[in-house]
Amino acid sequence: MKEPEIYLFTGPEIGEKKEAIDTIREAAEKSSGPLDVYTYYATETRVIDVVSQLQNLSLFSGALFVVLKNAELIKGKSDVDALSEWTKGGAKDSPNTLILVSDENSVDKKVEQLFPASHRKIFWEMFENRKPQWVQGFFKKNGYSITTDAVEQVLEMVENNTETLKSECSRFFYCFEKGHTISSEDVDKILSHNKEENAFTLFNAMSDSGRSQVQRFETSLEILQKIRLSKDSSGVSLIAGLSFSFRQLRTWHMLFADGTSPSDVQLKTSGFSSNKVKEKMKNASKIWNAGATSSILALLADTDMKIRENGSSLEDTMLTLMIYSIVMKNGLFCAEY
């Protein structure tokens, strides 16, 4: 019997997750023709409304293709029951596709059990030993080669998920003709001199333990302003990037919780095999302990929800208050009057 077109994708590796979603979408288009495609967030859209939409056929296309993000937030009984009713019933004979997505490694067990094991996948962060091969392969596939030193330099300067790596490495294709060998000098010229600020450079500034609290706050605000003036100025995307870094920090604290140093194998399997990432987490852990890290993650989730609820009118103010709370108050919420 054909399994229903329902999928659960979790984990921090954004690029591979996106590729998997695109592959399913292409297969759905071949099977059903043109699709009505929707992306929703569990923070702003009720699960029961998504299910209601999936229960109906599209009037103007062959099928619906729905991606519901922040799936880790689906926990309420009414939401789980609504999903259960559709996945165990109407989904079996429906041409519509539902994909639940989360950047966390898991979702509520009751939600997870609704999806066939073959349609569930955790997209782990790429292992360190795969990253150089990935970069070399990406340049080769596009008609370029790259020196070993240049590969190492790229990996030191770019956040190591495939979506970010693709975006940054693609810059070289606009600057050099095919067949060119990318050197360290080229990397310095393209990435260093044209460096764009993002959530990860903001995290680095906030967690620079060698600077005073006020200096970190001032630099963080400067970076925030640059991000807000850039093409990718979404506050929701910024919070997602910061949440990823603070989830890493939470894992780091858990590894050292009993007072002993974890083994290299434990660090590697937890995503900390890179010396750059280890150093970043060491610096951050000097500033925020485990309790502060949990408080910051709650603050980020709260700010994300408020931005989605209130729109863009107060987004700059909310982001500034968020950074003030993280840097100056160690994650404590600002008092409301």
Side-chain angles (χ1 to χ4, degrees), residues 13-21 123-124 126 130 162:
E13 216 317 297
I14 302 170
E16 291 183 359
K17 200 186 301 176
K18 182 177 181 297
E19 287 178 2
I21 293 172
F123 291 83
W124 301 103
M126 195 188 307
R130 283 185 56 204
T162 54

Side-chain angles (χ1 to χ4, degrees), residues 211-282:
R211 307 186 74 196
S212 72
Q213 197 174 42
V214 172
Q215 287 174 326
R216 290 188 287 114
F217 179 56
E218 290 175 346
T219 303
S220 298
L221 288 185
E222 290 173 4
I223 293 174
L224 175 64
Q225 186 176 33
K226 289 179 182 178
I227 293 172
R228 297 294 288 164
L229 293 172
S230 70
K231 61 182 180 181
D232 185 18
S233 61
S234 166
V236 171
S237 298
L238 175 64
I239 291 171
L242 288 176
S243 297
F244 173 80
S245 294
F246 279 102
R247 282 197 298 269
Q248 278 190 311
L249 180 57
R250 180 177 61 188
T251 302
W252 180 270
H253 280 303
M254 291 170 63
L255 289 171
F256 288 86
D258 60 0
T260 60
S261 297
S263 66
D264 289 340
V265 174
Q266 287 176 302
L267 287 170
K268 186 174 182 179
T269 54
S270 299
F272 302 118
S273 51
S274 160
N275 288 331
K276 177 187 172 186
V277 175
K278 289 177 187 176
E279 190 63 30
K280 182 167 73 171
M281 289 299 113
K282 283 179 185 176

Side-chain angles (χ1 to χ4, degrees), residues 35-297:
L35 305 172
D36 278 346
V37 180
Y38 299 91
T39 299
Y40 298 115
Y41 294 85
T43 51
E44 60 186 22
T45 304
R46 298 190 309 167
V47 172
I48 192 169
D49 292 334
V50 175
V51 170
S52 177
Q53 185 178 25
L54 287 164
Q55 288 172 333
N56 298 311
L57 294 176
S58 173
L59 294 175
F60 305 106
S61 61
L64 299 174
F65 188 89
V66 178
V67 176
L68 179 57
K69 297 187 176 183
N70 301 127
E72 72 279 2
L73 300 178
I74 303 174
K75 298 177 181 179
K77 185 178 185 302
S78 60
D79 288 340
V80 175
D81 287 347
L83 267 179
S84 177
E85 183 179 348
W86 187 71
T87 56
K88 293 178 180 179
K92 296 177 182 178
D93 300 314
S94 173
N96 297 335
T97 300
L98 171 66
I99 304 179
L100 261 57
V101 177
S102 173
D103 291 338
E104 299 283 354
N105 293 336
S106 62
V107 298
D108 189 281
K109 286 295 180 186
K110 292 179 181 177
V111 174
E112 182 181 309
Q113 291 168 2
L114 300 176
F115 295 79
S118 60
H119 286 196
R120 301 194 304 251
K121 184 172 181 179
I122 302 175
F123 291 83
W124 301 103
E125 185 180 7
M126 195 188 307
F127 283 121
E128 291 298 316
N129 59 1
R130 283 185 56 204
K131 292 173 183 176
Q133 295 176 330
W134 189 95
V135 173
Q136 289 174 331
F138 184 73
F139 278 100
K140 184 177 180 180
K141 183 173 66 176
N142 287 279
Y144 297 81
S145 56
I146 181 169
T147 67
T148 302
D149 288 345
V151 170
E152 292 179 2
Q153 196 169 348
V154 167
L155 292 174
E156 286 176 1
M157 298 175 68
V158 179
E159 282 301 317
N160 297 160
N161 69 72
T162 54
E163 187 71 5
T164 306
L165 281 169
K166 275 183 184 178
S167 174
E168 294 299 302
C169 290
S170 295
R171 292 189 187 193
F172 293 89
F173 307 154
Y174 299 101
C175 303
F176 303 102
E177 293 184 359
K178 285 191 175 183
H180 180 79
T181 298
I182 307 299
S183 66
S184 292
E185 291 76 16
D186 295 332
V187 174
D188 187 59
K189 186 187 304 179
I190 301 301
L191 295 188
S192 294
H193 294 174
N194 297 285
K195 182 181 177 183
E196 291 184 2
E197 302 289 3
N198 54 43
F200 303 108
T201 61
L202 176 56
F203 178 82
N204 292 340
M206 290 194 295
S207 60
D208 186 352
S209 59
R211 307 186 74 196
S212 72
Q213 197 174 42
V214 172
Q215 287 174 326
R216 290 188 287 114
F217 179 56
E218 290 175 346
T219 303
S220 298
L221 288 185
E222 290 173 4
I223 293 174
L224 175 64
Q225 186 176 33
K226 289 179 182 178
I227 293 172
R228 297 294 288 164
L229 293 172
S230 70
K231 61 182 180 181
D232 185 18
S233 61
S234 166
V236 171
S237 298
L238 175 64
I239 291 171
L242 288 176
S243 297
F244 173 80
S245 294
F246 279 102
R247 282 197 298 269
Q248 278 190 311
L249 180 57
R250 180 177 61 188
T251 302
W252 180 270
H253 280 303
M254 291 170 63
L255 289 171
F256 288 86
D258 60 0
T260 60
S261 297
S263 66
D264 289 340
V265 174
Q266 287 176 302
L267 287 170
K268 186 174 182 179
T269 54
S270 299
F272 302 118
S273 51
S274 160
N275 288 331
K276 177 187 172 186
V277 175
K278 289 177 187 176
E279 190 63 30
K280 182 167 73 171
M281 289 299 113
K282 283 179 185 176
N283 287 333
S285 65
K286 293 176 184 176
I287 297 172
W288 301 293
N289 60 24
T293 302
S294 296
S295 180
I296 289 169
L297 284 167

